[in-house]
Amino acid sequence: MDSLILAESRPWYKRLLRLEVEKRHATIETASEVDPAIRSEVAANLKSKYGDDLATDFHVDPQLLGGMRIRVGSDVWDGSVRNRLERLQQEL
């Protein structure tokens, strides 16, 4: 019986573990290369919200056109020009 419960709960445990690990990692996408001082400021702000053990990765994605998109776990902040243009297009 115990092994059956353990086997059934394993996928849920793996999912919770994956979600917790994702909360420790931030992906920051920008349209162009970001100045190191701005990188440090963004990382510091995210660490103040999510904890000092947060890892940050910066990536350049020219398709954003401008601005920045930040992903931490399931949280997403999209301040990119592309996103703003898409929202404007939907409103029109």
Side-chain angles (χ1 to χ4, degrees):
M1 180 72 173
D2 288 340
S3 62
L4 179 61
I5 293 172
L6 184 63
E8 289 177 355
S9 63
R10 186 173 292 140
W12 292 105
Y13 175 76
K14 285 182 177 181
R15 181 175 183 272
L16 288 173
L17 183 61
R18 180 181 53 81
L19 291 172
E20 189 60 33
V21 167
E22 287 176 355
K23 286 182 193 176
R24 304 288 103 221
H25 182 262
T27 301
I28 301 102
E29 297 173 287
T30 58
S32 60
E33 199 61 43
V34 177
D35 184 78
I38 294 175
R39 283 179 182 233
S40 295
E41 185 178 344
V42 169
N45 288 336
L46 289 170
K47 286 181 180 186
S48 72
K49 180 173 176 66
Y50 289 98
D52 290 334
D53 60 340
L54 183 72
T56 56
D57 286 322
F58 285 81
H59 300 281
V60 174
D61 182 358
Q63 292 184 356
L64 296 180
L65 303 176
M68 166 181 312
R69 181 178 345 174
I70 300 172
R71 240 171 252 216
V72 181
S74 61
D75 295 339
V76 178
W77 294 275
D78 193 342
S80 67
V81 172
R82 179 183 182 137
N83 182 53
R84 291 178 193 172
L85 290 172
E86 287 173 356
R87 286 189 313 200
L88 183 61
Q89 183 180 20
Q90 290 172 356
E91 290 177 12
L92 298 177

